[in-house]
């Protein structure tokens, strides 16, 4: 009988057929042994597959992170105008530590702050640490900015920033000093300027730039911008409230007391 050799693409004679089907040319006793060995192999393979299938069926489903739908107010306070994505959500029940009209906010960058209800979020990438995150009032006249510092000292970081701030039209320093009394190092730069990039509305702007060491040992900045015409109290409240509620990424923090 001739067989076709697929490797060489040619027909072979009976000798080659023996190479392709050696079991057909064994004696009866050896054929019986071959069949027994084949049956054992098939049985073991079937048992292995059955155990694997049973174990696979009992595995738990992959973890799914379900996020509850937000109300229109929550969407307005978290959707960023930069990338169109959400930026976080209210993180806890309001407490006595919050001024009227404020809410705690858990940002997608991992940190927690507190800010006025209904503010809009925007973000952009940073050369160091977390993204630079901006929260703006609906009318665009007030802003809270959050970012991470590259410098190892808050005061050193502010000294570098002041060099650039002095180039602003109408720059007037109110104070530049270290802030004692906190758990880590902190410093603050308060100033006024007639024109600040990214700010809306005319007139002189009032800025409080607070930089500090957080509970994770990293350094961050909370910068409040607003109109100087209505006084400094609203920017002070914005920075102080955000600082009191600030919790860095990957850190468990208690809810501030009233």
């Amino acid at each position: 009988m001739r067989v076709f050799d697929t490797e060489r693409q040619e027909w072979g004679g009976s000798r080659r057929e023996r190479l392709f089907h050696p079991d057909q040319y064994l004696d009866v006793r050896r054929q019986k042994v071959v069949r027994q060995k084949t049956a054992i192999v098939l049985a073991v393979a079937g048992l292995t597959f059955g155990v694997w299938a049973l174990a696979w069926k009992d595995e738990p489903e992959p973890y799914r992170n379900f996020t509850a739908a937000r109300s229109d107010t929550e969407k307005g306070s978290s959707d960023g105008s930069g990338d169109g994505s959400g930026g976080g959500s209210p993180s806890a029940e309001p407490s006595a530590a919050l001024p009227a009209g404020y809410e705690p906010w858990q940002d997608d960058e991992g940190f927690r702050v507190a800010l006025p209800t209904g503010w809009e979020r925007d973000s952009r990438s940073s050369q160091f640490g977390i993204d630079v995150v901006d929260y703006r009032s609906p009318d665009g006249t007030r802003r809270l900015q959050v970012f991470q510092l590259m410098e190892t000292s808050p005061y050193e970081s502010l000294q570098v920033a002041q060099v650039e701030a002095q180039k602003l039209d109408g720059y007037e320093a109110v104070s530049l000093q270290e802030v004692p009394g906190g758990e880590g190092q902190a410093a603050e730069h308060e100033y006024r300027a007639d024109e600040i990039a990214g700010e809306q509305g005319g007139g002189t702007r009032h800025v409080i730039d607070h930089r500090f060491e957080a509970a994770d040992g990293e350094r961050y900045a909370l910068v409040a911008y607003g109109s100087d015409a209505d006084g400094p109290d609203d920017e002070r409240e914005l920075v102080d409230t955000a600082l009191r509620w600030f919790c860095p990424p990957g850190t468990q923090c208690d809810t501030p007391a009233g």
Side-chain angles (χ1 to χ4, degrees), residues 220-242:
Y220 300 87
L222 295 169
V223 190
Y225 299 84
S227 173
D228 186 57
D230 58 1
D233 292 347
D234 49 354
E235 284 77 54
R236 173 55 60 191
E237 180 182 71
L238 190 59
V239 166
D240 288 351
T241 304

Side-chain angles (χ1 to χ4, degrees), residues 149-161:
L149 305 183
M150 183 182 300
E151 296 83 5
T152 58
S153 163
Y155 187 73
E156 175 191 347
S157 180
L158 281 178
Q159 287 179 312
V160 174

Side-chain angles (χ1 to χ4, degrees), residues 91-105 113-117 237 240-242 244-245 255-258:
S91 61
E93 292 296 327
S95 74
L98 283 171
Y102 277 72
E103 65 180 354
W105 188 264
V113 288
L115 63 151
T117 302
E237 180 182 71
D240 288 351
T241 304
R244 187 163 59 249
W245 280 82
T255 300

Side-chain angles (χ1 to χ4, degrees), residues 80-86 121-123 131:
S81 60
D83 55 11
S85 61
R121 179 192 186 274
D122 193 8
S123 66
D131 287 352

